[in-house]
Amino acid sequence: MCAWCWGFSRNYRRLTDALPASVPVVRLLGGLAPDSSEAMPPAMRRHLQKIWKTIETTIPGTRFNHDFWTHCRPRRSTWPACRAVIAARLQGADHDLAMTAAIQQGYYLHAKNPSDDATLIEFAAELGLDTREFSHALNAAAVQQQLEREIALARRLGVQGFPSLLLLNGDAARGVRVNYTDAGAMLEEIMAPAGAHKPPSAVATKAVE
């Protein structure tokens, strides 16, 4: 539920598709905004709408459905969407990316609110998941604990913004500059150390909040 992560999504896929199999990708959920039933304050709404318009003009091809702001009751609450990714992941690792895409497309293109459990269950059904199992996991204590572990790990690694890329080499981690239009630049930065040093062991990403 981070608009900049939505703007990054296409180039992120280009990057991960180009990475060699020897460099696994580990995705961490960012958390951002805890559960809340409160309507988003008007000032926050205006701020986010401005960001959407900025991204549309900054990242070519990125679209937003601005009907969201009149058709839905926005809340500053991203943890439900994060738990949905974990709940989907429990039914198969491939469902992590699929649920992420469903949330982003539903939110930004179809004006659906991923802060609502009913919306997330709808996405799970569209993906062919077991909705009964998904619904049970969505607010389960174990799923919330996993989310908190991922948030804590990201903080220990020094992640401060969304989206973020980290290159992990053994116990060392360094940031990779996020490029919204040129996947090749990120790939070059990731693979550059391989010549003089040992190859990178993993790329950790934060692409969902």
Side-chain angles (χ1 to χ4, degrees):
M1 292 183 67
C2 162
W4 286 104
C5 294
W6 168 239
F8 184 50
S9 59
R10 286 185 301 169
N11 223 30
Y12 170 77
R13 288 193 297 272
R14 294 187 188 106
L15 170 63
T16 55
D17 287 346
L19 285 171
S22 59
V23 184
V25 176
V26 179
R27 286 162 42 83
L28 300 176
L29 294 159
L32 187 63
D35 296 328
S36 174
S37 60
E38 298 296 322
M40 189 181 294
M44 176 66 71
R45 291 193 188 201
R46 290 192 296 269
H47 175 67
L48 292 179
Q49 290 177 69
K50 183 177 179 181
I51 289 176
W52 286 20
K53 292 176 181 177
T54 298
I55 293 172
E56 283 180 322
T57 59
T58 303
I59 306 175
T62 304
R63 296 186 298 112
F64 292 88
N65 185 342
H66 297 273
D67 287 343
F68 173 82
W69 300 103
T70 54
H71 290 180
C72 295
R73 180 178 179 268
R75 305 199 310 280
R76 186 68 168 165
S77 182
T78 71
W79 281 13
C82 290
R83 288 195 297 269
V85 173
I86 297 172
R89 192 192 295 164
L90 293 174
Q91 296 191 39
D94 290 346
H95 298 312
D96 180 300
L97 276 172
M99 179 56 75
T100 299
I103 290 169
Q104 291 179 325
Q105 291 169 16
Y107 182 21
Y108 295 117
L109 297 181
H110 305 298
K112 296 182 179 181
N113 193 347
S115 296
D116 296 337
D117 285 1
T119 301
L120 298 167
I121 294 168
E122 176 186 336
F123 294 157
E126 291 172 354
L127 294 174
L129 301 180
D130 183 324
T131 53
R132 183 174 181 180
E133 181 180 336
F134 177 87
S135 299
H136 176 75
L138 187 56
N139 292 296
V143 169
Q144 176 63 25
Q145 289 164 4
Q146 177 59 28
L147 171 59
E148 292 171 3
R149 284 193 291 268
E150 294 189 25
I151 294 171
L153 175 56
R155 288 175 178 169
R156 287 199 301 273
L157 290 170
V159 171
Q160 297 181 343
F162 311 100
S164 291
L165 295 174
L166 288 176
L167 181 66
L168 308 182
N169 235 328
D171 294 330
R174 67 173 174 82
V176 175
R177 187 185 301 274
V178 171
N179 191 307
Y180 292 92
T181 58
D182 185 358
M186 294 182 290
L187 181 64
E188 183 177 350
E189 185 176 348
I190 289 167
M191 300 309 298
H197 308 285
K198 61 181 180 178
S201 58
V203 176
T205 74
K206 286 183 74 173
V208 182
E209 297 172 30

